[in-house]
Amino acid sequence: MKFAIIGAGRIGQVHARSVSENPDAELTLIYDPDLGAAKLLADKHYAKACDNEDDVFSSDIDAVIVCSPTPLHPDHVRKAVAANKAVLCEKPVAGSIEEAQALCDELKDNPNPVMLGFNRRFDPSFAKVHRMVDEGKIGKLEQLAIISRDPAAPPKEYIRVSGGIFADMTIHDFDMARFFLGEIESVYTIGQNLDPELADTGDFDGAYVLLKNKEGVVASIVNSRHCATGYDQRLEAFGPDGSLVADNKRPTTVQVNTREISAAQDPYLDFFLERYTQAFGNELAAFMKWVETGKVCGPTVEDGVKALILAKAAEESARKGTVITL
Amino acid sequence: MKFAIIGAGRIGQVHARSVSENPDAELTLIYDPDLGAAKLLADKHYAKACDNEDDVFSSDIDAVIVCSPTPLHPDHVRKAVAANKAVLCEKPVAGSIEEAQALCDELKDNPNPVMLGFNRRFDPSFAKVHRMVDEGKIGKLEQLAIISRDPAAPPKEYIRVSGGIFADMTIHDFDMARFFLGEIESVYTIGQNLDPELADTGDFDGAYVLLKNKEGVVASIVNSRHCATGYDQRLEAFGPDGSLVADNKRPTTVQVNTREISAAQDPYLDFFLERYTQAFGNELAAFMKWVETGKVCGPTVEDGVKALILAKAAEESARKGTVITL
Amino acid sequence: MKFAIIGAGRIGQVHARSVSENPDAELTLIYDPDLGAAKLLADKHYAKACDNEDDVFSSDIDAVIVCSPTPLHPDHVRKAVAANKAVLCEKPVAGSIEEAQALCDELKDNPNPVMLGFNRRFDPSFAKVHRMVDEGKIGKLEQLAIISRDPAAPPKEYIRVSGGIFADMTIHDFDMARFFLGEIESVYTIGQNLDPELADTGDFDGAYVLLKNKEGVVASIVNSRHCATGYDQRLEAFGPDGSLVADNKRPTTVQVNTREISAAQDPYLDFFLERYTQAFGNELAAFMKWVETGKVCGPTVEDGVKALILAKAAEESARKGTVITL
Amino acid sequence: MKFAIIGAGRIGQVHARSVSENPDAELTLIYDPDLGAAKLLADKHYAKACDNEDDVFSSDIDAVIVCSPTPLHPDHVRKAVAANKAVLCEKPVAGSIEEAQALCDELKDNPNPVMLGFNRRFDPSFAKVHRMVDEGKIGKLEQLAIISRDPAAPPKEYIRVSGGIFADMTIHDFDMARFFLGEIESVYTIGQNLDPELADTGDFDGAYVLLKNKEGVVASIVNSRHCATGYDQRLEAFGPDGSLVADNKRPTTVQVNTREISAAQDPYLDFFLERYTQAFGNELAAFMKWVETGKVCGPTVEDGVKALILAKAAEESARKGTVITL
């Protein structure tokens, strides 16, 4: 399967690596308005570079991975679909719920695969928990706990334009909650301002979210912009017959025993490139399976819209201090 | 220190064992309206038995442990205090917030120790986490997660008269949250009805609670009336410099490795007598220290009142689906 | 069942506690040539004290626990058996193989239970591993690894008269190896002198032992007189269908996560009184079962003799640097 | 740095992947007498293929990775060195100690890097333990335990020509022991025949080895040709100030809790390609550092000779049942 990548930035580089390492995928073309950046990445992977996006859509590639800035996502998806390419689009699907919904509506009858890059669904541990829940290993899911903390806050400049912690960071956790619970009925959020350094960004730097679906299953999400021990990414699913926990990953398996402590392990893997390397690879493989089989194998644009709706509801709940019913 | 125990039921037996095993404590007298029950327990511990409660208050004992039915707690505490005895009273402090508050008010100027039996504060693991938080090991506490699930639901008859899951079961978790966060400002609760067998009790059988103090520190509590793997009692405290986890206890340290799994441990210790054996012993020691030093060494009647207030707020929140501000 | 204890020293106190805490056992009499010591211990447990050992054998007790100094063990066992009492005798069974063997021969036709106090067989974790091996959980046992390190060396004065590390410390591990492997055919030992402080004791302060039974099953033992992290007591059994590990015990279940480490636990429980509290209690229960049922429920005097033989062989192997065939 | 690989078999493919994934390495040429195999591998990595080995030595590559059959290793190393190429040679260095020693002698004054592929030294966990021991984290090393079990025995045909378990499998563990202990003074080995299916191969299918260096530090190695739970690769280093454990790796971090068990993890990663993926990558990086700096950064041909000597001594010890002094 021949791939083009739109956007040679950080996430474009991640996908370029995944494509290169997949024996059934071939990286053919990299587009970036900055031709130098496109070439640098293309050279590394024996691909061609271009700075004219039309070259992407007119080429004989099979699939496009959209890694452009968020506001450009809908347009790039539209053009790729029009050119009859399969699309893997990075999240969030668009800069606003309205634009995301519009794209979603447009694509209603489109037969081409358009998958949204919620990579965490493809993390081997989270995916295994999901599969075991589906197989009924713990009985009917009752309670889900998602822990998601970044190792350190991004620059304040970034936070100010990020759209807020819920759209920027919790969006992954909303998708994870939906992956397990399906449609969410109510949202309650406590936003925290824990780090005095970030006080003037106007954004929260920590959060607790409770989500409930119509069957009464509850998911909790705890977020923080900082975590001393690294990128804290865990999940716990509970049902009548047992529970399943996905723990953090560490660079080694070494355990240290001293006078003061025993069985001390490494800090958590830090940051998402390391933590989710396998997830990105598996995401690509799922996308390719979708393309080959025509059967939906991953999150859709609609999933992207719904995660954005939850982000907005969480923001409103945190600001007003009330429960939001969807 | 000479002890009498009021009530020879299950929790009275627990305290009788703790007193017997404490080298500085002597179990002198057991009172129960059922003299046979009192004698049975007294014989086991080389103590005397009586079925006249006045015998307790007129004896030369130093301290009384009140293990009578909840509605009798306030009266037994009052009489013990009047007789100048130190008192360790089982929770809840009374059958209603009003009675509890009334007792609390009466005791305002009482110099005698009256400690409330929130045993979990004295669990070695929870107590260690609390001490390390106090010592600043993780910086200022930001987020606290309490997991508290019973191995199996009590009989329906019990549930119907229990006062509801929040007063009956979550009460311990409310005290734990207050132990770490101090006074709580807002409560939001989702009550769950997960077990169809319990549907007609009118009570919830699972719950998610979010508590916030005035500094914005958040505690989450997750409850269930059942847990396949045993009595699930955990706690996780998070701050800017790290986090502290108190895990479950198991009967052995054996790990099993087979074709299917590795490092599989025993199910959790089941139930509170086994899980909190050390906690009850340490609770007694703390009480004795309070008696000896005159310095408060454990939860007070006021703590008991405040836990009841949280239980009522949680119930209201779960019933109405709104956030309760205290 | 009524018990007398011979010897009010440290190990006598351990057994006194076990008897007191067992609801079916009654501690009746403590003998010690130092009547004050006997009284002190007796008072604590509501028992009588005596300094004439004949009082023990002529009393109406059912069982005697022999906690006298090692050289007196055979004589006390003999007298107890002659008085028709069941006997639980502390290890080692005697001061020399010859004396131990002589006692063993004498007791050949004695119908009364005489159990030897190899307490580790009754540790819940080790016992569980043994039971699972017996049940065939891992298939036929192939390899056994025993790790056994003391937290710190005893005083040099003690080491000099201890009989050497193999008779003093490894003796427990030899019994454990026999518990799993049965009769041992060959012994190879490397003695280590790791701690310069102990160089002039003439004893080894570390050791590696390999034992093989006639079916070719191998057990390894690693010993050290010191271990910074505490009393290191582990065991790993391996067979064709899996493996079983008994890990160390810790005072709490707290896990610490900081910038430097994650999931760091407490140092190991330290020392044998804490580590093997349950083992001593279970040992007593097994002994009582033996008395009640007449069915052997624990290690015998013969087991004591055989452990001594292995200790002597290990010493010889370490001194000569050769393999010893038994 | 430009690389050629000699041999397109399984291990050649492993190295091809490592070279491809290293941003500073370029895979230029694959040689294999089977040109089809060479081409297949070369195409996958955008390299050229050849079936004339002289093409390798006359090309402008910087380094050769020797992945030919063991008997050809010395010749390929010689030719590469003669052509002034740096060499990374797979183990064992040769088919016999004599040939290995001869090559070692010849290379005495050769300034070009010739590194031997003992990949486990570069496993992140083992390497971290080694580095921490070097840094004095546990004080002076006293005891080292190496556990090394294959998931399942290779075909009998392979075993018959493998040179025996010690040269074929334990060779890695001998190098690991030398990595920590330096030169070994004595070897004692118990060979086991545990699997009746393998009885007629004439080889052992399990082994326990004790190695001692001249300072009295002891390393134990336990081997088995089978392990139900997967590829069992662990290491534990013990010293006066603590101990360090490198545990097995698992495909996910999922922990399963049910009625029967808790915290059950995945079986171990299976087999060496998965377990040691990172080790192979780090091995390559170390080799490249050696080439760039001229400073020895990995095991040498001499290390290969010495591991072979230990394998031979272990075989002799197991056959004769005696201790071998080197």
Side-chain angles (χ1 to χ4, degrees):
Chain A
M1 202 173 294
K2 291 185 183 174
F3 281 82
I5 291 179
I6 293 184
R10 191 171 61 170
I11 194 70
Q13 293 164 29
V14 170
H15 285 291
R17 187 177 68 177
S18 295
V19 174
S20 289
E21 292 183 358
N22 189 306
D24 300 321
E26 189 184 338
L27 185 53
T28 302
L29 188 60
I30 311 274
Y31 157 79
D32 200 287
D34 174 349
L35 187 60
K39 275 191 173 161
L40 201 67
L41 184 56
D43 283 353
K44 195 171 160 186
H45 295 286
Y46 306 91
K48 288 178 187 164
C50 68
D51 60 356
N52 180 346
E53 66 180 41
D54 292 338
D55 292 355
V56 171
F57 306 117
S58 61
S59 72
D60 69 340
I61 52 149
D62 302 294
V64 175
I65 305 181
V66 176
C67 303
S68 48
T70 298
L72 302 180
H73 285 180
D75 189 46
H76 283 142
V77 171
R78 262 181 209 106
K79 286 177 175 165
V81 167
N84 209 28
K85 313 299 184 193
V87 185
L88 172 56
C89 178
E90 265 306 313
K91 83 270 144 212
V93 64
S96 72
I97 295 179
E98 292 69 27
E99 289 171 278
Q101 187 61 57
L103 180 65
C104 186
D105 294 343
E106 275 175 56
L107 293 175
K108 218 175 208 170
D109 302 320
N110 160 53
N112 278 358
V114 180
M115 181 163 137
L116 205 66
F118 281 125
N119 58 292
R120 292 188 196 173
R121 291 193 184 201
F122 302 97
D123 173 74
S125 298
F126 295 162
K128 183 178 176 181
V129 170
H130 189 265
R131 193 178 63 246
M132 292 179 80
V133 170
D134 261 7
E135 292 167 359
K137 179 83 181 175
I138 60 169
K140 196 182 164 313
L141 179 68
E142 296 180 345
Q143 299 171 332
L144 179 77
I146 298 170
I147 296 104
S148 176
R149 295 178 178 121
D150 282 354
K156 281 169 133 180
E157 299 69 41
Y158 174 84
I159 291 178
R160 286 200 182 93
V161 300
S162 69
I165 191 170
F166 301 109
D168 178 50
M169 179 176 164
T170 326
I171 189 98
H172 281 289
D173 307 309
F174 289 130
D175 182 65
M176 188 59 70
R178 288 190 64 254
F179 189 39
F180 280 87
L181 271 69
E183 300 318 314
I184 300 302
E185 208 177 62
S186 77
V187 181
Y188 175 65
T189 305
I190 299 177
Q192 294 183 293
N193 291 101
L194 305 163
D195 184 346
E197 296 260 330
L198 300 176
D200 61 355
T201 60
D203 195 13
F204 302 110
D205 53 23
Y208 251 107
V209 184
L210 286 191
L211 304 168
K212 190 178 67 168
N213 73 10
K214 67 177 175 186
E215 291 170 310
V217 184
V218 178
S220 66
I221 298 169
V222 56
N223 284 161
S224 177
R225 285 285 194 189
H226 60 251
C227 179
T229 314
Y231 191 36
D232 192 6
Q233 298 283 300
R234 287 174 288 155
L235 187 143
E236 184 164 343
F238 173 82
D241 298 333
S243 63
L244 301 164
V245 177
D247 195 10
N248 283 305
K249 294 179 71 173
R250 286 137 173 119
T252 77
T253 65
V254 174
Q255 297 180 6
V256 179
N257 305 297
T258 67
R259 276 179 182 79
E260 289 78 31
I261 48 164
S262 71
Q265 299 181 53
D266 288 342
Y268 318 140
L269 268 190
D270 183 344
F271 189 27
F272 71 93
L273 294 186
E274 293 73 25
R275 173 65 174 85
Y276 288 119
T277 300
Q278 288 174 283
F280 284 111
N282 293 349
E283 180 185 66
L284 182 73
F287 172 67
M288 290 168 67
K289 197 175 161 196
W290 186 347
V291 175
E292 279 159 20
T293 65
K295 201 184 143 198
V296 176
C297 295
T300 62
V301 170
E302 194 181 358
D303 290 317
V305 174
K306 290 186 170 169
L308 280 173
I309 291 172
L310 288 175
K312 194 182 169 187
E315 181 85 29
E316 189 185 344
S317 174
R319 297 287 170 197
K320 295 188 182 165
T322 59
V323 184
I324 306 297
T325 306
L326 296 173
Chain B
M1 200 175 297
K2 292 185 183 174
F3 281 83
I5 290 178
I6 293 183
R10 190 172 62 170
I11 194 69
Q13 293 164 29
V14 171
H15 286 292
R17 187 177 68 176
S18 294
V19 174
S20 288
E21 292 182 359
N22 188 306
D24 300 321
E26 189 184 338
L27 184 53
T28 303
L29 188 60
I30 310 275
Y31 157 79
D32 199 286
D34 174 349
L35 187 60
K39 273 190 172 160
L40 201 68
L41 184 57
D43 283 355
K44 195 171 160 186
H45 295 286
Y46 306 92
K48 289 177 186 165
C50 68
D51 60 357
N52 179 345
E53 65 179 42
D54 292 339
D55 291 354
V56 170
F57 306 116
S58 63
S59 74
D60 70 341
I61 52 145
D62 303 294
V64 175
I65 305 181
V66 176
C67 304
S68 48
T70 299
L72 303 179
H73 286 180
D75 189 48
H76 284 142
V77 172
R78 264 180 206 105
K79 285 174 175 165
V81 167
N84 209 27
K85 312 299 184 193
V87 185
L88 172 56
C89 178
E90 265 307 312
K91 85 267 141 214
V93 65
S96 71
I97 295 179
E98 292 68 30
E99 289 169 280
Q101 186 62 57
L103 179 65
C104 186
D105 293 344
E106 276 176 57
L107 294 174
K108 215 174 209 171
D109 301 322
N110 159 54
N112 276 1
V114 181
M115 181 163 136
L116 205 67
F118 282 125
N119 59 293
R120 293 189 195 173
R121 292 193 184 201
F122 302 97
D123 172 74
S125 298
F126 295 161
K128 183 178 176 180
V129 170
H130 189 265
R131 193 179 64 246
M132 290 179 82
V133 169
D134 262 7
E135 291 166 0
K137 179 82 181 177
I138 58 168
K140 197 182 164 308
L141 179 68
E142 296 180 345
Q143 300 170 333
L144 180 78
I146 298 170
I147 295 104
S148 176
R149 296 178 177 120
D150 281 355
K156 280 169 131 179
E157 300 69 42
Y158 175 83
I159 290 179
R160 285 200 183 91
V161 301
S162 69
I165 191 171
F166 301 109
D168 179 50
M169 179 176 164
T170 326
I171 189 100
H172 282 288
D173 308 308
F174 290 130
D175 183 64
M176 188 58 70
R178 290 189 63 254
F179 190 37
F180 280 87
L181 271 68
E183 301 318 316
I184 300 302
E185 208 179 62
S186 77
V187 180
Y188 175 66
T189 304
I190 299 177
Q192 295 183 293
N193 292 101
L194 304 164
D195 184 347
E197 297 259 331
L198 300 176
D200 62 353
T201 60
D203 195 12
F204 304 109
D205 54 23
Y208 251 107
V209 185
L210 286 192
L211 304 167
K212 190 177 68 169
N213 72 9
K214 68 176 175 188
E215 291 168 311
V217 184
V218 179
S220 65
I221 299 169
V222 56
N223 284 162
S224 177
R225 283 287 194 190
H226 60 250
C227 179
T229 315
Y231 191 35
D232 192 7
Q233 298 282 300
R234 288 175 288 156
L235 187 144
E236 183 164 344
F238 173 82
D241 298 334
S243 63
L244 301 164
V245 177
D247 194 10
N248 282 305
K249 293 179 73 172
R250 284 132 174 128
T252 77
T253 64
V254 174
Q255 297 179 8
V256 180
N257 306 298
T258 67
R259 273 177 185 80
E260 289 77 32
I261 48 163
S262 71
Q265 298 180 55
D266 289 341
Y268 319 140
L269 268 189
D270 184 343
F271 188 33
F272 70 91
L273 293 186
E274 293 74 25
R275 173 66 175 85
Y276 289 119
T277 300
Q278 288 174 284
F280 284 112
N282 293 349
E283 180 187 66
L284 183 74
F287 173 67
M288 290 168 67
K289 196 175 162 199
W290 185 348
V291 176
E292 279 159 20
T293 65
K295 200 186 142 197
V296 177
C297 295
T300 62
V301 171
E302 193 180 357
D303 290 316
V305 174
K306 290 188 171 168
L308 280 173
I309 291 172
L310 287 175
K312 195 183 169 190
E315 181 86 28
E316 189 185 344
S317 175
R319 297 285 170 201
K320 295 187 182 169
T322 58
V323 184
I324 306 297
T325 306
L326 298 171
Chain C
M1 201 174 298
K2 290 184 182 174
F3 282 83
I5 290 178
I6 294 184
R10 190 173 60 169
I11 193 71
Q13 293 165 28
V14 170
H15 286 291
R17 187 179 65 177
S18 295
V19 174
S20 289
E21 292 183 358
N22 188 306
D24 300 320
E26 188 184 337
L27 185 54
T28 302
L29 188 60
I30 310 274
Y31 157 78
D32 198 287
D34 174 349
L35 188 60
K39 274 191 171 160
L40 201 67
L41 184 56
D43 284 355
K44 194 172 159 186
H45 295 286
Y46 306 92
K48 288 176 187 167
C50 69
D51 61 355
N52 180 345
E53 65 179 40
D54 293 338
D55 292 355
V56 170
F57 305 116
S58 62
S59 73
D60 69 341
I61 53 149
D62 303 292
V64 176
I65 304 180
V66 176
C67 304
S68 48
T70 299
L72 302 178
H73 285 180
D75 189 47
H76 284 142
V77 172
R78 264 181 206 105
K79 285 176 175 164
V81 167
N84 209 27
K85 312 298 186 194
V87 186
L88 171 56
C89 178
E90 264 307 312
K91 85 267 139 212
V93 65
S96 72
I97 294 179
E98 293 69 28
E99 290 171 278
Q101 186 61 58
L103 180 66
C104 186
D105 293 343
E106 276 176 56
L107 293 175
K108 216 176 211 170
D109 302 321
N110 160 53
N112 276 0
V114 181
M115 181 163 137
L116 205 66
F118 281 125
N119 59 291
R120 292 188 196 173
R121 291 193 185 201
F122 303 98
D123 172 75
S125 298
F126 295 162
K128 182 177 177 181
V129 170
H130 189 265
R131 194 179 65 245
M132 291 179 81
V133 170
D134 262 7
E135 292 167 358
K137 179 86 181 173
I138 60 169
K140 196 182 165 310
L141 179 68
E142 296 181 346
Q143 299 170 332
L144 180 77
I146 298 170
I147 295 104
S148 176
R149 296 179 178 118
D150 281 355
K156 281 168 130 180
E157 300 69 42
Y158 174 84
I159 290 178
R160 285 201 183 91
V161 301
S162 69
I165 190 170
F166 301 109
D168 178 50
M169 179 176 164
T170 326
I171 190 96
H172 281 288
D173 307 308
F174 290 129
D175 182 65
M176 189 56 71
R178 289 189 64 254
F179 189 38
F180 280 87
L181 271 68
E183 300 318 316
I184 300 302
E185 208 178 63
S186 78
V187 180
Y188 174 65
T189 306
I190 299 177
Q192 295 183 292
N193 292 102
L194 303 164
D195 184 347
E197 296 258 330
L198 301 175
D200 61 353
T201 60
D203 195 12
F204 303 110
D205 54 23
Y208 250 106
V209 184
L210 286 191
L211 304 168
K212 191 177 67 171
N213 73 10
K214 66 177 174 186
E215 291 169 311
V217 185
V218 179
S220 65
I221 299 169
V222 56
N223 284 162
S224 177
R225 283 288 194 190
H226 60 252
C227 180
T229 315
Y231 191 34
D232 191 7
Q233 298 282 300
R234 287 174 288 156
L235 187 144
E236 183 164 343
F238 173 82
D241 298 333
S243 64
L244 301 164
V245 177
D247 195 10
N248 283 305
K249 293 179 72 172
R250 284 132 174 127
T252 77
T253 64
V254 174
Q255 296 180 7
V256 179
N257 305 298
T258 67
R259 275 178 183 78
E260 289 78 30
I261 48 164
S262 70
Q265 300 181 52
D266 288 342
Y268 318 139
L269 268 191
D270 183 347
F271 190 29
F272 70 92
L273 293 185
E274 293 74 24
R275 172 67 174 85
Y276 288 120
T277 300
Q278 288 173 284
F280 284 111
N282 293 349
E283 181 186 65
L284 183 74
F287 173 68
M288 290 168 67
K289 197 175 162 197
W290 186 348
V291 175
E292 280 158 19
T293 65
K295 202 185 139 198
V296 177
C297 295
T300 63
V301 171
E302 193 181 358
D303 289 316
V305 174
K306 290 187 170 168
L308 280 173
I309 291 172
L310 287 176
K312 195 183 169 189
E315 181 85 29
E316 190 185 344
S317 175
R319 297 286 171 199
K320 294 188 182 167
T322 59
V323 183
I324 306 297
T325 306
L326 297 172
Chain D
M1 202 175 297
K2 290 183 184 175
F3 281 83
I5 291 179
I6 293 184
R10 190 171 61 169
I11 193 70
Q13 293 164 28
V14 170
H15 286 291
R17 187 176 67 178
S18 294
V19 174
S20 288
E21 291 183 357
N22 188 306
D24 300 321
E26 187 185 338
L27 185 54
T28 302
L29 189 59
I30 311 272
Y31 157 79
D32 199 286
D34 175 350
L35 187 61
K39 273 191 173 160
L40 202 67
L41 185 56
D43 283 356
K44 195 171 161 186
H45 295 287
Y46 307 92
K48 288 176 188 167
C50 67
D51 60 357
N52 179 346
E53 66 180 41
D54 291 339
D55 291 356
V56 170
F57 305 117
S58 62
S59 72
D60 69 340
I61 53 149
D62 303 295
V64 175
I65 304 180
V66 176
C67 304
S68 48
T70 299
L72 302 179
H73 285 180
D75 189 47
H76 283 143
V77 171
R78 264 181 207 107
K79 285 176 176 164
V81 167
N84 210 28
K85 312 298 185 194
V87 185
L88 172 55
C89 178
E90 265 307 312
K91 83 265 142 220
V93 65
S96 72
I97 295 180
E98 292 69 30
E99 289 171 278
Q101 187 62 56
L103 180 66
C104 187
D105 294 343
E106 274 175 57
L107 293 175
K108 216 175 209 169
D109 302 321
N110 159 54
N112 276 359
V114 181
M115 182 164 137
L116 205 66
F118 281 126
N119 58 292
R120 293 189 196 172
R121 292 193 184 202
F122 302 98
D123 172 75
S125 298
F126 295 162
K128 182 178 177 182
V129 171
H130 189 264
R131 193 178 63 244
M132 291 179 81
V133 169
D134 262 7
E135 291 167 358
K137 179 83 182 178
I138 60 169
K140 197 183 163 310
L141 179 69
E142 296 180 347
Q143 300 170 333
L144 180 77
I146 298 170
I147 295 104
S148 175
R149 295 178 178 121
D150 281 355
K156 280 168 131 181
E157 300 69 42
Y158 174 83
I159 291 179
R160 286 201 182 92
V161 301
S162 70
I165 191 170
F166 301 110
D168 179 50
M169 180 176 162
T170 327
I171 190 97
H172 280 290
D173 307 309
F174 290 129
D175 182 66
M176 189 56 72
R178 290 189 63 254
F179 189 40
F180 279 87
L181 271 69
E183 300 317 315
I184 301 301
E185 207 177 62
S186 77
V187 180
Y188 175 65
T189 306
I190 298 177
Q192 296 183 293
N193 292 102
L194 304 163
D195 184 348
E197 297 257 332
L198 300 177
D200 62 353
T201 60
D203 195 13
F204 303 110
D205 55 21
Y208 250 108
V209 185
L210 286 191
L211 304 168
K212 190 177 69 169
N213 72 10
K214 67 176 177 188
E215 290 169 312
V217 184
V218 179
S220 66
I221 298 169
V222 57
N223 284 162
S224 178
R225 283 286 192 189
H226 60 251
C227 180
T229 315
Y231 191 35
D232 192 7
Q233 298 282 300
R234 287 174 289 156
L235 188 144
E236 182 163 346
F238 173 82
D241 298 334
S243 64
L244 301 165
V245 177
D247 195 9
N248 283 306
K249 293 178 72 172
R250 286 139 172 120
T252 77
T253 64
V254 174
Q255 297 179 8
V256 179
N257 305 297
T258 67
R259 275 179 184 78
E260 290 77 32
I261 47 163
S262 70
Q265 300 180 52
D266 289 342
Y268 318 140
L269 267 191
D270 184 345
F271 187 30
F272 70 92
L273 293 186
E274 293 73 25
R275 172 66 173 84
Y276 288 119
T277 299
Q278 288 174 285
F280 284 112
N282 293 349
E283 181 187 64
L284 182 74
F287 173 66
M288 290 169 67
K289 196 175 162 197
W290 186 346
V291 175
E292 279 159 19
T293 64
K295 202 184 143 199
V296 177
C297 295
T300 62
V301 171
E302 193 180 357
D303 290 316
V305 174
K306 290 186 170 169
L308 280 173
I309 291 172
L310 288 175
K312 195 183 167 188
E315 181 85 30
E316 189 185 343
S317 174
R319 296 287 170 198
K320 295 188 181 166
T322 58
V323 183
I324 306 297
T325 306
L326 296 172

